[in-house]
């Protein structure tokens, strides 16, 4: 079972934006340093950080630098034309010399040791794979990266990846070659291959459906947007064991919102069940898992839940809050 890093108030620091550059159409690379030059927190491939851009604007970005270099943290940010303003703030307002609060790193998409890897990236989903392919190369593993994007000019790190790793990297610009051949690539992957997929929801859904019919593959996905939940929503009670409170959670509110209203401090970020910041241990009861992060095995274990979206299957939950 994957171990998720539960929220900790200690993982919160202010960093300095040391460098900002455009690396593809609509994509900027940000390099952060500690204001005093101190080492930054350790991290491993697949980790992300929360950038607190404004008091009401927190966004998650995958780290795409070298985990061995503790002097910097690097992310790449796509301008989301239909977004909620976070990426626009990064592109238009952040300047070198600005200070930004960072929470994390957290890792919900860990690189696991395997003999073979297939990395499948769509668009800005390439970012977590920059350190992953470096780790696979250093391990001497058999690996391949399929990287699809709208066009070559929109594909961040594309030229660098091809120059560094050659034919192990398959670039698939949609305007030249159409949709990437995900079924063909997965069908040719050998038994025991660890498949990592990050990108838009249609790509992830296709990978999940295809891998379900290929039992020799182990699929790991990371989502940017939450899966759609269509099940019924009802009210229930939640007991917060450490706080000594029992609260009613109505059908139109989340556990997180009710806990915040009661003055219980809870770290949160995406509020959509994708980042893992609000992951909370379950002491009793059966959660109705509605997140896009925990695996089916982790959800079945009912050891933790994402209180921003998940609910209760019974009348009461007891949480370690």
């Amino acid at each position: 079972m994957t171990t998720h890093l539960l929220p900790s108030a200690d993982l919160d620091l202010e960093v300095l934006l040391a460098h900002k550059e455009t690396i593809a159409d609509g994509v900027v690379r940000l390099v952060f340093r500690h204001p005093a030059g101190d080492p930054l927190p350790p991290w491993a491939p697949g980790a992300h950080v929360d950038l607190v851009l404004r008091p009401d604007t927190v966004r998650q970005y995958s780290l795409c630098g070298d985990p061995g270099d503790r002097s910097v943290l690097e992310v790449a940010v796509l301008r989301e034309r239909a977004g909620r303003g976070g990426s626009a703030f990064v592109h238009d307002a952040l300047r070198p010399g600005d200070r930004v609060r960072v929470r994390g790193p957290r890792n919900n998409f860990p690189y696991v040791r395997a003999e073979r890897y297939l990395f499948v990236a769509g668009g800005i989903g390439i970012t977590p794979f920059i350190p992953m392919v470096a780790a696979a190369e250093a391990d001497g593993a058999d690996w391949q990266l399929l990287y699809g994007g709208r066009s070559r000019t929109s594909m961040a790190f594309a030229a660098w990846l091809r120059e560094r790793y050659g034919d192990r990297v398959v670039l698939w610009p949609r305007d030249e070659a159409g949709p990437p051949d995900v079924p063909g690539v997965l069908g040719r992957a050998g038994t025991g291959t660890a498949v990592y997929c990050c990108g838009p929801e249609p790509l992830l859904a296709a990978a999940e459906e295809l891998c379900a019919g290929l039992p020799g593959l182990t699929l790991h996905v990371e989502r940017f947007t939450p899966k759609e939940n269509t099940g019924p929503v009802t009210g229930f009670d939640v007991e917060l064991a450490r706080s000594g409170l029992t609260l009613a959670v109505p059908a139109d509110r989340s556990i997180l919102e009710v806990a915040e209203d009661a003055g219980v401090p809870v770290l949160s970020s995406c509020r959509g069940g994708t980042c893992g910041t609000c992951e909370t241990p379950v002491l009793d009861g059966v959660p109705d898992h509605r997140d896009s992060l925990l695996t089916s095995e982790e959800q079945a274990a009912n050891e933790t839940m994402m209180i921003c979206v998940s609910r209760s299957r019974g009348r009461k939950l007891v949480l370690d809050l």
Side-chain angles (χ1 to χ4, degrees), residues 18-33:
H19 181 72
K20 177 182 178 180
E21 65 173 330
T22 299
I23 58 172
D25 293 346
V27 180
V28 293
R29 172 175 164 263
L30 308 179
V31 180
F32 296 101
R33 295 184 180 275

Side-chain angles (χ1 to χ4, degrees), residues 19 36 38 67 85 91 93 98 104 117 124 134 143 164 179 204 206 208 213 225 229 231 261 269 274 305 316:
H19 181 72
D38 295 345
H91 278 253
D98 289 348
Y117 297 91
I124 198 62
W143 66 271
R164 186 177 182 91
L204 304 187
E208 288 177 327
T225 56
N229 287 298
D261 284 352
S269 185
T274 61
M305 65 184 296
K316 185 178 180 180

Side-chain angles (χ1 to χ4, degrees), residues 137 143-145 158-171:
E137 184 77 358
W143 66 271
Q144 183 182 47
L145 167 65
W160 179 86
L161 284 164
R162 281 287 293 182
E163 180 179 349
R164 186 177 182 91
Y165 299 114
D167 292 342
R168 287 181 181 267
V169 177
V170 178
L171 302 180

